[in-house]
Amino acid sequence: MFICIVRAKSRRTVSAAKSYSLSTMAPQDLQSAGSVKQQIAKLFEESLRTTVPDEGDVEPAIAPCQNPKFGDYQCNNAMGLWSRVKGKGTQFKGPQLVGQAIMNNLPPSEMIESCTIAGPGFVNIILSKHWIAKSIQKMLVHTIETWASEIPVKRAVVDFSSPNIAKEMHVGNLRSTIIGDTLARMLEFSKVEVLRRNHVGDWGTQFGMLIEYLFEKFPSGEVSGDQAIGDLQAFYKASKQRFDSDPAFKERAQRAVVSLQGGEEKYRKAWAEICEISRRGYESVYQRLGVQLEEKGESFYNPYIPRVVELLNEKGLIEESEGARVIFIKGKKIPLIVVKKDGGYNYASTDLAALWYRLYEEKAEWIIYVTDVGQREHFEMVFTAAKQAGWLPAEDNKYPKASHVGFGLVLGEDGKRFRTRSTETVKLVDLLDEAKNRCREALVQRGKSEEWTAEELDKTAEAVGYGAVKYADLKNNRSTNYTFSFDQMLNDKGNTAVYLLYAHARICSIIRRSGKDIEELKKIGTMELDHPDERVLGLHLLQFLEIVEEACTNLLPNILCEYLYNLSEDFTRFYTNCQVVGSAEETSRLLLCEATAIVMRKCFYLLGITPVYKI
């Protein structure tokens, strides 16, 4: 491979100063200039206009270097441009010379230390360590919120969790709840107004069965919901057994649905009691998980369905098929049933009404549905129907848009769907209790019950236990199945929340041990990144913003988890090779420790994990 190395000329080098004081920063510097990749792209955009002025706007192709020995980032436009300009009487004789011209035409910038040309015109970029240090110090004084990205959406709906009424939340609800919460947090950090929607299953034919069973247990009509229902799961199973085994009960249950939907007070009251008992159950789970949601269940959208069906009919989309009213979807063998043969509505009716409401009443530009992968085809059909109706643009990359975030199964260590030994679905509260109790036992074994107060022990066990459950899920690509293992997720080595939380606590301990006032150091101290491991850590910190953007754009929380784990590894390497407390570089390195802790805490927050400060 031919490599042409060109040192950056004076117009591309930083000033002679080796460190930066925050007191010299102008107010306009405080606003985020975008991610590192975006800032590099702006420089190359200007260079590309100068290099090939007749080719119109050329989007810079900027990517991190796969091999850090070549540089930090790379511009990959040369080959594509060469294929466009050759044969047009161009001055260039090949892609490498195109790359050379792109590099030479870069405007002055303190960002870039040097550039090299590699292969067929790849421009490798090495960032200035002084600029990296300055950018980190700016964040330290003006908070990590100045590193928040901005995506081209003002308001989004994230539809997640969505348990069924009268069924206790189980491990199957876990993935939707924590993936949806993390996506909402990342979007909120990116300055998007997020409407967190809990689309609970609080309407439908099953309520006839539940209400009739409730009345059967209390024939006098004096119904006390808590007393009558008791264990929700047992109540649901008992009513389902009666429904399946007793034709007379089944007939009464079907009539009860009609009475409920007709608005009869007795039935509406029983329905409301069942819903409220369920609500208290899942709200306690959300409180444990630190998840906030606004309930707008199936019943909320029910009044909108007739109008939405009428709108779709006016568009000529609804046809009669075997007694039902359906929408035929291009590329699908089975139509989307909008009105059943008996005139009733179904999931598709509700989901179309909900999508219409979110687009036209709530004015959302991005509607995100977090469900298992098994519902992918259903949502594809609903979204296609919305495009055929003109509610959504035909192009997937235009707003407003709707996205289905599918996730795989939670498996047991036997490779089958995660269940208890009696083949029951695992209740989410039991799973969280188990994680917390195991963490408490581990802390007690380490002697922490003698060092800490009971409250400190309880809060730490909860933070680590719940965090371990969340991270074990989120670190996987959501579309795949994953194996639930307490032993693996609670391991304090490897890519686990326990390891990461301990790493954060260790950083906090280093800062405390120094005896220095870190807030004062932020104001008067300066940062230098002279050691290679300091620079690697500093660059990784700066890439936080583009990682959040990537995770948001692709709706993949595991990208953020991978970044967090790699950050922890980079810090461990830095701390192993660079003495902090008592060194000549103590102030600078304490600031780097603090910056790492701040970024880790923000990652924890976005993942819904509570950090611990001592361990």
Side-chain angles (χ1 to χ4, degrees):
M1 178 186 293
F2 176 80
I3 301 178
C4 173
I5 300 178
V6 182
R7 293 293 176 193
K9 299 179 182 178
S10 59
R11 60 185 173 82
R12 293 196 298 278
T13 57
V14 296
S15 65
K18 291 188 178 180
S19 59
Y20 287 85
S21 171
L22 291 166
S23 61
T24 63
M25 294 181 187
Q28 61 268 26
D29 291 334
L30 305 184
Q31 188 174 356
S32 174
S35 67
V36 175
K37 190 157 71 171
Q38 287 173 334
Q39 293 183 64
I40 294 172
K42 288 175 185 175
L43 296 175
F44 277 87
E45 188 176 3
E46 189 172 333
S47 171
L48 289 165
R49 280 198 298 266
T50 303
T51 304
V52 283
D54 298 330
E55 291 302 313
D57 291 333
V58 178
E59 185 175 346
I62 308 298
C65 280
Q66 295 299 310
N67 190 334
K69 75 178 184 180
F70 292 126
D72 301 318
Y73 286 83
Q74 189 175 72
C75 175
N76 301 323
N77 286 92
M79 289 185 68
L81 280 176
W82 168 245
S83 66
R84 288 167 60 171
V85 302
K86 65 181 178 181
K88 293 184 179 180
T90 177
Q91 58 176 315
F92 304 115
K93 304 300 181 184
Q96 191 177 77
L97 293 178
V98 175
Q100 181 82 48
I102 292 171
M103 184 182 70
N104 290 339
N105 287 324
L106 278 171
S109 171
E110 65 174 348
M111 285 183 69
I112 297 179
E113 180 75 29
S114 63
C115 294
T116 62
I117 300 296
F122 301 122
V123 183
N124 291 326
I125 306 141
I126 296 177
L127 298 176
S128 161
K129 62 184 180 183
H130 308 302
W131 178 81
I132 295 173
K134 175 183 174 181
S135 300
I136 294 171
Q137 282 196 263
K138 197 186 299 184
M139 179 276 287
L140 282 172
V141 169
H142 301 290
T143 80
I144 197 170
E145 303 306 317
T146 58
W147 280 5
S149 61
E150 288 191 45
I151 62 175
V153 175
K154 291 182 179 178
R155 180 180 293 168
V157 167
V158 182
D159 178 329
F160 66 104
S161 191
S162 308
N164 285 317
I165 294 296
K167 288 185 178 181
E168 289 200 57
M169 290 185 72
H170 53 82
V171 71
N173 297 118
L174 177 68
R175 300 207 76 180
S176 178
T177 303
I178 63 177
I179 291 170
D181 182 53
T182 292
L183 295 178
R185 287 170 182 258
M186 290 194 297
L187 288 165
E188 287 161 350
F189 180 65
S190 303
K191 302 177 182 177
V192 177
E193 179 190 358
V194 178
L195 307 180
R196 295 160 164 258
R197 293 291 178 254
N198 198 4
H199 191 88
V200 297
D202 66 350
W203 201 249
T205 55
Q206 77 272 23
F207 276 94
M209 170 184 83
L210 295 167
I211 292 169
E212 194 58 34
Y213 189 69
L214 190 65
F215 289 161
E216 190 174 83
K217 290 188 71 176
F218 285 81
S220 65
E222 293 296 322
V223 178
S224 173
D226 286 309
Q227 177 190 354
I229 293 176
D231 183 273
L232 279 168
Q233 203 80 355
F235 180 82
Y236 187 92
K237 289 177 70 175
S239 62
K240 182 71 167 66
Q241 187 175 11
R242 289 279 285 120
F243 186 85
D244 292 339
S245 63
D246 187 338
F249 178 87
K250 183 175 183 179
E251 187 177 341
R252 292 198 304 274
Q254 290 170 337
R255 289 200 300 269
V257 174
V258 177
S259 299
L260 172 63
Q261 293 178 346
E264 286 189 37
E265 184 178 352
K266 174 183 174 183
Y267 291 87
R268 294 286 291 192
K269 183 181 177 183
W271 169 78
E273 285 197 13
I274 295 170
C275 290
E276 183 55 32
I277 295 166
S278 294
R279 190 173 292 118
R280 288 199 294 271
Y282 58 68
E283 284 296 341
S284 68
V285 174
Y286 297 146
Q287 190 172 4
R288 288 196 196 196
L289 294 173
V291 173
Q292 293 184 337
L293 278 156
E294 182 181 354
E295 183 180 316
K296 273 190 167 64
E298 293 174 4
S299 63
F300 176 85
Y301 301 104
N302 198 60
Y304 295 92
I305 294 176
R307 175 59 180 149
V308 168
V309 171
E310 184 183 339
L311 289 170
L312 293 167
N313 191 49
E314 289 171 359
K315 294 281 186 179
L317 297 177
I318 295 181
E319 301 179 37
E320 296 287 334
S321 177
E322 298 180 11
R325 302 181 71 190
V326 306
I327 298 175
F328 286 96
I329 305 295
K330 297 173 184 175
K332 302 292 182 183
K333 295 179 180 179
I334 302 173
L336 187 67
I337 299 173
V338 178
V339 183
K340 296 186 293 184
K341 291 180 182 179
D342 61 4
Y345 301 127
N346 58 9
Y347 287 126
S349 320
T350 305
D351 286 333
L352 283 166
L355 181 55
W356 178 90
Y357 182 88
R358 290 161 178 176
L359 286 167
Y360 291 99
E361 295 295 328
E362 294 182 319
K363 310 295 184 186
E365 298 163 87
W366 197 2
I367 301 102
I368 299 164
Y369 297 80
V370 187
T371 77
D372 64 89
V373 291
Q375 297 187 49
R376 179 184 294 133
E377 185 172 32
H378 166 75
F379 280 105
E380 282 178 359
M381 295 175 76
V382 169
F383 298 161
T384 303
K387 289 176 182 178
Q388 291 174 200
W391 300 352
L392 296 171
E395 301 86 352
D396 289 333
N397 61 344
K398 289 187 177 180
Y399 295 98
K401 69 177 180 179
S403 302
H404 177 240
V405 174
F407 54 82
L409 298 173
V410 181
L411 304 177
E413 295 188 70
D414 59 358
K416 299 178 181 178
R417 191 187 289 264
F418 189 44
R419 296 184 184 277
T420 63
R421 289 181 181 177
S422 60
T423 72
E424 293 287 336
T425 303
V426 180
K427 294 179 183 179
L428 199 44
V429 288
D430 294 341
L431 183 149
L432 294 173
D433 286 342
E434 176 75 9
K436 180 179 176 179
N437 290 337
R438 287 191 181 213
C439 282
R440 183 188 282 107
E441 288 172 12
L443 290 168
V444 169
Q445 288 174 5
R446 294 175 60 177
K448 297 303 177 182
S449 59
E450 298 174 6
E451 299 175 23
W452 296 351
T453 65
E455 184 182 10
E456 285 177 322
L457 188 68
D458 188 72
K459 285 188 174 180
T460 303
E462 188 172 282
V464 177
Y466 296 175
V469 170
K470 289 184 177 185
Y471 189 83
D473 187 313
L474 293 168
K475 73 176 183 180
N476 298 285
N477 186 306
R478 56 173 169 75
S479 62
T480 61
N481 300 337
Y482 86 95
T483 301
F484 190 97
S485 167
F486 278 120
D487 290 339
Q488 288 182 16
M489 68 177 60
L490 296 174
N491 196 326
D492 60 4
K493 296 179 179 63
N495 188 10
T496 67
V498 182
Y499 168 76
L500 295 168
L501 288 166
Y502 284 11
H504 172 262
R506 188 169 69 249
I507 296 172
C508 296
S509 174
I510 293 165
I511 296 170
R512 285 195 301 269
R513 198 168 68 247
S514 74
K516 299 294 176 64
D517 183 342
I518 196 68
E519 295 304 318
E520 188 63 24
L521 289 186
K522 289 180 188 179
K523 297 174 187 175
I524 63 172
T526 56
M527 184 183 292
E528 300 178 13
L529 303 175
D530 292 330
H531 191 283
D533 290 325
E534 292 176 314
R535 188 187 181 282
V536 167
L537 179 58
L539 178 59
H540 198 116
L541 290 170
L542 276 192
Q543 291 172 329
F544 167 76
L545 194 158
E546 61 200 58
I547 289 296
V548 175
E549 285 180 348
E550 183 183 354
C552 264
T553 302
N554 296 291
L555 301 171
L556 290 172
N558 64 293
I559 291 173
L560 183 61
C561 293
E562 183 181 2
Y563 169 84
L564 175 58
Y565 177 67
N566 289 336
L567 176 62
S568 179
E569 293 287 274
D570 285 344
F571 179 84
T572 299
R573 195 176 303 110
F574 150 74
Y575 187 62
T576 300
N577 297 323
C578 300
Q579 180 184 347
V580 177
V581 179
S583 68
E585 302 86 357
E586 182 181 73
T587 295
S588 174
R589 289 175 178 174
L590 283 172
L591 290 173
L592 192 54
C593 287
E594 175 69 1
T596 304
I598 287 172
V599 172
M600 288 188 77
R601 284 196 290 274
K602 182 54 71 173
C603 288
F604 287 142
Y605 173 79
L606 296 177
L607 297 171
I609 296 172
T610 302
V612 295
Y613 293 82
K614 63 178 184 178
I615 205 71

